[in-house]
Amino acid sequence: MESVTAARKETTPAVAEAAPDATSGGQANVPSPQETDGFRLVIEALKLNGIDTIFGLPGIPITDLTRKAQAAGMRVISFRHEQNAGYAASIAGFMTRKPGICLTVSAPGFLNGLTALANATTNCFPMILISGSSEREIVDLQQGDYEEMDQLAIARPLCKAAFRVLHAEDIGVGIARAIRAAVSGRPGGVYLDLPAKLFAQTMAAEAGRKSLIKVVDPAPRQIPARDAVQRALELLKSAKRPLILLGKGAAYAQADADIRALVEKTGIPYLPMAMAKGLLPDTHEQSAAAARSYVLPEADVVMLIGARLNWLLSHGKGKTWGGKDAKAWGGQKFIQIDISPQEADSNVRIDAPVVGDVGSCVSALLAGIGATWAKPPADWLNAIAERKNKNVAKMGETLAKNPMPMNFHSALNVVRDIVKANPDAILVNEGANALDFTRSIVDMYKPRKRLDVGTWGVMGIGMGFSVAAAVVSGQPVIAIEGDSAFGFSGMEVETICRYNLPVCVVILNNNGVYRGDEVNPTGGRDPAPLVFVKGARYEKLMEAFGGVGVQATTPAELRKAMEEALRSRKPTLINAAIDEGAGTESGRITALNPTAKKK
Ligand code: ADP
Ligand code: TZD
């Protein structure tokens, strides 16, 4: 950093004078008591709005911002790569309904954070990526500044809104706009560009204080129209085989008691999407999760609550829904509760859109169903129960097997028990097989306890999500990771150790992407593209930073190590050796994988 800093001062003396290097410790530019500066105003604006944590990675021009934020009592969690800080911010946003803040340096740091910003927008997680940026005059004339990049233009298409603040007196408005954009309506990612010069700008302290905005009602309730609610209730009442689908929008809304009441009072079977698991306990008798492939094609009226009919639901049509071919409509009628008025009809016709926030919509529906609602026909419920019992029994048999080496089932049978015994623990999950099997095998008991790859199926969320989950909730975190998935963020085990977070990482290690038994068909020396070093000792990575590393080759060893991790709350990494032939290509989404026609 020294040499870069020196070079920057040399080439841009005027800038260096006006805005002393942010990494110098800030001594050169301490405002007088009557004055404030850009650094302080950013911090005060965030604090004023109840934002108490920053996830980021320091460097020019935001180094001093991280120091001063910590000095001002904020929690500043420093990562080893901005992408992980970004994922942390986004999931903190999901968990708290306050925008998670990711703070990065200019150009490369900004770009590293951008994947997480785009992912947050895709998943409807509220987040603000705040990046320092280089000098506008030089960037705009493309004169070759240190880390030169037109960041605002690049961020804009990947987020809900993007803003830049040039003057200290506008910081209050800039942060207020960013907060509103992130959390109101459909939540999403927001970019806030803060050029280096802004931080050192000074202004009168009193005027600065007055310029800040405490956002009133940042995510206003959106009450659904009465006729929309009525239309939905009538359609629901007419159903012979109704089904409720709960999505992560329902989990986000934190309307847990009303959602449960709606499901239970109507008696309608429900399916939780992955991150809606636990909204009602997965063991709930109305859960149709174990009969998913039966209920989707058979249902006649489906009520979506905070879930989109995207690829994860086969776009609401095709064979999954009983359609004759891949694109054919299965004949279901849909009710869709969503805060976004544009969501309805995105894939199939929505007969009863209810636009509003989940909390307001569900309470309006509850008021409408009253005390006399007839439960769904018994033959529908019985048919589901029959399938469910059969599948649960079959799964029980598979889980009870004890093959050597372990497979996904025998390892996840342990995880299932540990989560059952620790229902407050947060489960982070990524991989392909490691994801799909965990989702179906490990029951969740409480809302917002399962955090995973979401709408994009993105690898790399693991350690960022784990850090944020532990920091935000104070609860233990269990991260179930494919060995490939873990590699995307593995260096953050240092972060986990540094902050001494109660995170237990379990790597389901099958020596590669999807599985580890492929060979190079040419017989050449390079390994096949999907395989890794055999028997890699990932647990040593955790030991390197003072955490606990365990290699587990049997379910008993895995159980012992997980129990100990949860008891001790020490950063722990368990390297669970899984049969390298156990996985399938792309897990459950093999069909999306274009392959050459077999001869
Ligand atoms: P899943 O992947 O679980 O199916 P999606 O991410 O596809 O869920 O869908 C979430 C939906 O929830 C989005 O369409 C989003 O607009 C909606 N949503 C998010 N927050 C709220 C809220 N507070 N009230 C209503 N809808 C919401
Ligand atoms: N890169 C990114 C950012 N996201 C992705 N989803 C992928 C690549 C492709 N991909 C998957 O969809 S799953 C996966 C990759 C690389 C890893 C699967 O291997 P794993 O899990 O070891 O994590 P299993 O249990 O062996 O299947």
Side-chain angles (χ1 to χ4, degrees):
M1 253 317 138
E2 287 328 291
S3 61
V4 174
T5 303
R8 178 169 180 267
K9 277 188 174 153
E10 242 171 64
T11 51
T12 58
V15 171
E17 259 165 48
D21 188 289
T23 58
S24 67
Q27 299 309 314
N29 195 43
V30 179
S32 72
Q34 293 82 36
E35 281 192 319
T36 188
D37 62 13
F39 288 114
R40 288 198 199 171
L41 288 167
V42 170
I43 293 162
E44 291 311 318
L46 292 172
K47 285 178 69 178
L48 185 64
N49 285 289
I51 293 171
D52 54 11
T53 306
I54 292 175
F55 303 94
L57 202 160
I60 295 171
I62 49 91
T63 313
D64 246 15
L65 189 63
T66 61
R67 282 197 192 100
K68 289 180 153 95
Q70 187 173 57
M74 292 185 82
R75 260 200 112 176
V76 181
I77 308 294
S78 266
F79 283 75
R80 304 300 294 263
H81 190 292
E82 292 87 351
Q83 191 173 101
N84 306 317
Y87 288 140
S90 70
I91 208 66
F94 171 76
M95 292 170 70
T96 63
R97 310 185 77 202
K98 278 192 244 168
I101 306 293
C102 175
L103 180 64
T104 76
V105 304
S106 19
F110 156 77
L111 286 173
N112 284 346
L114 207 52
T115 311
L117 184 70
N119 186 64
T121 307
T122 300
N123 281 279
C124 317
F125 298 158
M127 143 177 195
I128 304 174
L129 174 66
I130 302 180
S131 288
S133 58
S134 302
E135 299 313 329
R136 288 261 33 96
E137 296 84 343
I138 304 176
V139 172
D140 288 347
L141 279 170
Q142 299 181 18
Q143 293 175 303
D145 202 2
Y146 168 70
E147 300 195 343
E148 175 181 296
M149 176 171 274
D150 188 358
Q151 296 170 196
L152 188 69
I154 289 165
R156 210 182 282 289
L158 299 174
C159 57
K160 231 184 123 179
F163 306 103
R164 176 186 290 136
V165 181
L166 291 177
H167 303 290
E169 61 266 33
D170 293 331
I171 286 172
V173 169
I175 300 247
R177 300 213 70 191
I179 291 171
R180 274 200 192 281
V183 297
S184 63
R186 172 183 277 178
V190 174
Y191 177 61
L192 187 62
D193 193 88
L194 302 183
K197 267 186 190 173
L198 176 77
F199 295 111
Q201 280 178 26
T202 55
M203 66 185 288
E206 177 65 8
R209 198 180 53 73
K210 285 192 181 146
S211 73
L212 301 184
I213 296 174
K214 183 167 166 48
V215 178
V216 176
D217 196 11
R221 289 181 65 191
Q222 283 180 226
I223 316 285
R226 203 181 302 177
D227 54 345
V229 173
Q230 208 45 48
R231 196 189 298 123
L233 284 170
E234 269 155 32
L235 182 52
L236 204 55
K237 217 174 261 177
S238 73
K240 300 269 179 300
R241 296 180 305 282
L243 178 68
I244 291 175
L245 264 169
L246 300 172
K248 60 171 133 39
Y252 175 78
Q254 299 196 15
D256 309 334
D258 274 359
I259 289 171
R260 184 167 184 157
L262 182 69
V263 171
E264 290 182 341
K265 285 198 177 149
T266 58
I268 297 174
Y270 74 96
L271 275 182
M273 298 300 288
M275 282 177 61
K277 274 166 71 79
L279 218 41
L280 286 82
D282 280 336
T283 46
H284 196 283
E285 63 162 357
Q286 284 172 255
S287 169
R292 189 179 195 271
S293 60
Y294 173 72
V295 291
L296 290 181
E298 290 297 323
D300 61 352
V301 174
V302 178
M303 179 156 74
L304 301 154
I305 307 184
R308 288 170 284 188
L309 285 176
N310 57 16
W311 69 280
L312 286 159
L313 283 169
S314 308
H315 306 283
K317 58 192 168 192
K319 295 203 166 143
T320 308
W321 293 87
K324 281 195 210 49
D325 57 56
K327 293 219 153 180
W329 177 46
Q332 290 82 3
K333 300 211 159 182
F334 288 99
I335 300 164
Q336 184 161 34
I337 298 177
D338 205 289
I339 201 152
S340 166
Q342 294 176 51
E343 187 53 40
D345 303 331
S346 55
N347 286 277
V348 293
R349 182 174 65 240
I350 302 297
D351 294 278
V354 184
V355 175
D357 67 278
V358 162
S360 301
C361 294
V362 168
S363 79
L365 287 167
L366 263 178
I369 63 170
T372 55
W373 189 270
K375 297 267 144 110
D379 54 354
W380 174 233
L381 301 183
N382 293 340
I384 296 172
E386 195 185 308
R387 260 80 180 182
K388 204 173 131 173
N389 293 339
K390 217 189 307 174
N391 290 340
V392 168
K394 204 153 68 179
M395 177 62 93
E397 277 170 32
T398 313
L399 291 178
K401 288 185 186 146
N402 193 2
M404 194 62 196
M406 283 190 281
N407 61 11
F408 287 99
H409 291 88
S410 61
L412 287 169
N413 188 36
V414 173
V415 177
R416 174 186 162 98
D417 290 347
I418 299 282
V419 169
K420 186 175 184 184
N422 298 273
D424 286 314
I426 292 170
L427 186 81
V428 171
N429 189 201
E430 61 176 336
N433 295 281
L435 176 87
D436 294 336
F437 285 123
T438 306
R439 187 181 55 227
S440 58
I441 293 170
V442 178
D443 289 331
M444 305 307 300
Y445 299 87
K446 295 193 176 183
R448 293 170 297 283
K449 293 295 185 186
R450 188 189 149 86
L451 311 173
D452 69 23
V453 299
T455 305
W456 265 351
V458 66
M459 296 300 111
I461 49 89
M463 298 306 102
F465 276 19
S466 296
V467 168
V471 165
V472 166
S473 72
Q475 297 290 346
V477 175
I478 298 168
I480 304 298
E481 300 275 312
D483 50 328
S484 165
F486 173 73
F488 288 72
S489 67
M491 194 62 203
E492 302 297 345
V493 297
E494 190 275 332
T495 309
I496 291 168
C497 288
R498 183 161 24 101
Y499 292 94
N500 195 24
L501 299 172
V503 175
C504 172
V505 181
V506 178
I507 298 181
L508 300 177
N509 183 3
N510 62 353
N511 297 342
V513 177
Y514 311 136
R515 46 198 285 153
D517 56 355
E518 279 194 32
V519 290
N520 179 339
T522 70
R525 267 185 301 176
D526 284 350
L530 286 87
V531 306
F532 296 153
V533 167
K534 306 267 180 203
R537 301 294 298 271
Y538 292 102
E539 75 280 11
K540 295 198 183 291
L541 194 57
M542 187 60 102
E543 286 172 358
F545 304 109
V548 177
V550 182
Q551 193 183 33
T553 54
T554 64
E557 286 168 6
L558 176 59
R559 188 180 302 272
K560 182 160 169 272
M562 287 190 79
E563 281 171 353
E564 180 54 22
L566 279 139
R567 194 199 56 73
S568 72
R569 292 176 65 97
K570 282 190 192 149
T572 301
L573 192 156
I574 304 167
N575 183 14
I578 303 291
D579 182 354
E580 65 176 14
T584 58
E585 176 114 0
S586 307
R588 297 255 168 96
I589 53 173
T590 309
L592 298 182
N593 203 7
T595 47
K597 275 217 173 80
K598 296 231 163 59
K599 283 206 178 123

